[in-house]
Amino acid sequence: MKTYIIAEAGVNHNGSLEMAKELIKVAKEAGADAVKFQTFKAANLVTKQAEQADYQVDNLGGATSQFEMLKKLELSYDEFKELQAFCQIENITFLSTPFDFDSVDFLLNELHMDTIKIPSGELTNAPFIHYIATKQKPIILSTGMATIDEIHEALTFLAYGLARPQEPVEIEQVQAFYQTVEAQKVLKKYITLLHCTTQYPTPVAFINLNAMQEMRKTFQLPIGFSDHSEGIHIPIGAVSMGAIVIEKHFTLDKALEGPDHVASLNPAELKTMIQGIRDIEVALGDGIKRPTPIELQNRLPARKSLVAKASIKAGEIFTLDNLTIKRPGSGIAPSNYWSYIGKLAIKSYHEDELIDE
């Protein structure tokens, strides 16, 4: 199965439409399936007094509030329309993560996005994710910072919104519905979960790729991986463990000012990562253990046969002293070694001659 690769431009355009277009070109050139941005109005997303996250302080120095930081990174709705049109020209799927209700309506009603991405920070925002679910579009849900119980709770509201978009939310009904076969069926139809660690960059010791296995077993849903680590090897490893979606931040230049550039891939790294993922997809094969066609030609030169260790005369007994095992494998298989010990030779053999009787 082909992995769906999302090149996460996020806010690495630094508020510049032209830089955003360059990011689209890079994503296309690298071979990504989609390029994703973030759509928000800072005034709807964060209070003016909210402090930056620790990683944002580390990457930016913490001189401004979250609001001031995000305000500089906003793109207008008209600019997003232009970016979507540019993606169509470049033949790459446009995606963007909404962070407020107005942005949900804009992306789905005006840009007609086919898939919606819910970020980790909104997983516990039940009114928001329920509203998204009522739009009945495929949803990719990141699960950074979340416990298993919190993911269950998010899926509870998503299932109800997907299946009962016109019905008001009454908590007892929502919770009861989650236990039904209908709820699980609608989740399987619409939801993909992404394992994620919300830290930029993420130290390797905190990635916990094995959590994907627990999530797959617990929720019985498609599982992917949103990666914030440095380098390209972790997402490639995630694909080998069954991740069907990979999301990875990228930038034009890691030295640019901004909250996410330092934890992003540069264009060359993005291209190398995607090629590595495509190689892993092929290398995984069909899972059936059998010799491949290219191996068959190597059987004879690589395997061994019964060979005369010394000259053997007809009628002489095969012994440990005159019988050995050497390449090639075109003679009698070594598994017959013990049955030949003590047996009379029918013919004579020179040293190093294959036994053929």
Side-chain angles (χ1 to χ4, degrees):
M1 181 177 182
K2 184 181 179 183
T3 310
Y4 193 74
I5 301 175
I6 302 172
E8 172 68 54
V11 294
N12 281 347
H13 48 70
N14 284 8
S16 164
L17 178 63
E18 292 309 310
M19 191 180 293
K21 289 182 178 180
E22 287 301 313
L23 287 163
I24 291 170
K25 291 180 182 178
V26 167
K28 174 61 179 178
E29 170 64 23
D33 296 293
V35 58
K36 189 174 77 66
F37 296 92
Q38 296 176 7
T39 304
F40 57 86
K41 296 298 181 185
N44 296 335
L45 175 57
V46 63
T47 66
K48 290 183 173 62
Q49 294 76 34
E51 296 180 355
Q52 293 181 11
D54 287 347
Y55 79 87
Q56 293 168 341
V57 173
D58 291 341
N59 296 341
L60 293 173
T64 63
S65 66
Q66 266 204 67
F67 176 82
E68 292 170 312
M69 175 192 72
L70 292 169
K71 190 65 180 175
K72 294 177 181 177
L73 300 173
E74 275 187 19
L75 291 175
S76 70
Y77 287 167
D78 284 341
E79 287 174 317
F80 277 114
K81 289 179 181 178
E82 191 168 337
L83 289 180
Q84 186 189 51
F86 191 73
C87 282
Q88 291 172 345
I89 293 171
E90 292 293 319
N91 194 28
I92 186 171
T93 299
F94 169 89
L95 293 175
S96 192
T97 296
F99 285 82
D100 54 69
F101 290 92
D102 290 343
S103 295
V104 172
D105 290 339
F106 166 70
L107 292 172
L108 295 182
N109 298 338
E110 295 192 43
L111 297 192
H112 306 290
M113 272 193 346
D114 292 328
T115 301
I116 200 81
K117 167 70 193 303
I118 298 176
S120 296
E122 302 297 335
L123 182 139
T124 57
N125 187 351
F128 184 65
I129 64 176
H130 173 265
Y131 182 73
I132 289 174
T134 64
K135 304 301 181 180
Q136 296 183 307
K137 296 287 187 180
I139 293 170
I140 300 172
L141 174 64
S142 276
T143 60
M145 306 174 289
T147 65
I148 289 293
D149 286 344
E150 287 174 331
I151 299 171
H152 271 302
E153 184 173 274
L155 292 174
T156 298
F157 289 99
L158 289 173
Y160 196 77
L162 286 164
R164 305 280 191 270
Q166 305 302 324
E167 295 186 15
V169 174
E170 296 183 9
I171 299 301
E172 290 184 359
Q173 290 184 2
V174 172
Q175 293 173 339
F177 179 72
Y178 184 58
Q179 306 303 320
T180 67
V181 172
E182 183 184 359
Q184 300 310 308
K185 185 176 180 180
V186 77
L187 288 172
K188 285 181 172 62
K189 179 179 179 181
Y190 285 100
I191 304 296
T192 298
L193 297 177
L194 300 189
H195 172 53
C196 175
T197 303
T198 304
Q199 176 64 19
Y200 302 80
T202 303
V204 173
F206 294 95
I207 291 170
N208 193 19
L209 285 180
N210 280 326
M212 292 193 302
Q213 298 174 354
E214 181 189 15
M215 291 169 63
R216 189 178 294 112
K217 180 179 179 181
T218 300
F219 301 110
Q220 299 293 302
L221 294 173
I223 303 297
F225 179 55
S226 178
D227 183 44
H228 299 136
S229 69
E230 295 181 292
I232 67 172
H233 51 299
I234 302 300
I236 294 174
V239 172
S240 73
M241 295 178 66
I244 67 165
V245 175
I246 291 293
E247 179 183 75
K248 182 74 171 178
H249 281 262
F250 75 106
T251 179
L252 300 178
D253 186 344
K254 295 183 184 184
L256 288 168
E257 182 180 351
D260 299 335
H261 292 289
V262 69
S264 302
L265 299 180
N266 65 33
E269 290 171 327
L270 179 65
K271 188 171 186 177
T272 301
M273 182 198 76
I274 292 174
Q275 184 57 59
I277 288 172
R278 298 305 180 214
D279 288 345
I280 284 293
E281 290 170 343
V282 175
L284 285 171
D286 60 14
I288 300 172
K289 178 56 184 173
R290 61 184 182 280
T292 64
I294 62 171
E295 287 181 290
L296 295 177
Q297 63 185 345
N298 296 322
R299 276 182 164 181
L300 294 184
R303 290 184 173 180
K304 295 180 178 179
S305 304
L306 298 185
V307 173
K309 187 176 182 180
S311 295
I312 302 172
K313 295 180 180 180
E316 188 176 343
I317 295 174
F318 289 115
T319 68
L320 299 178
D321 293 327
N322 64 17
L323 193 63
T324 189
I325 298 169
K326 291 184 179 182
R327 291 177 177 176
S330 54
I332 295 170
S335 57
N336 295 291
Y337 178 76
W338 295 280
S339 64
Y340 272 76
I341 300 299
K343 183 179 178 181
L344 293 177
I346 297 174
K347 55 180 282 190
S348 297
Y349 294 95
H350 298 295
E351 182 182 349
D352 258 0
E353 186 177 351
L354 294 178
I355 306 300
D356 61 0
E357 58 184 73

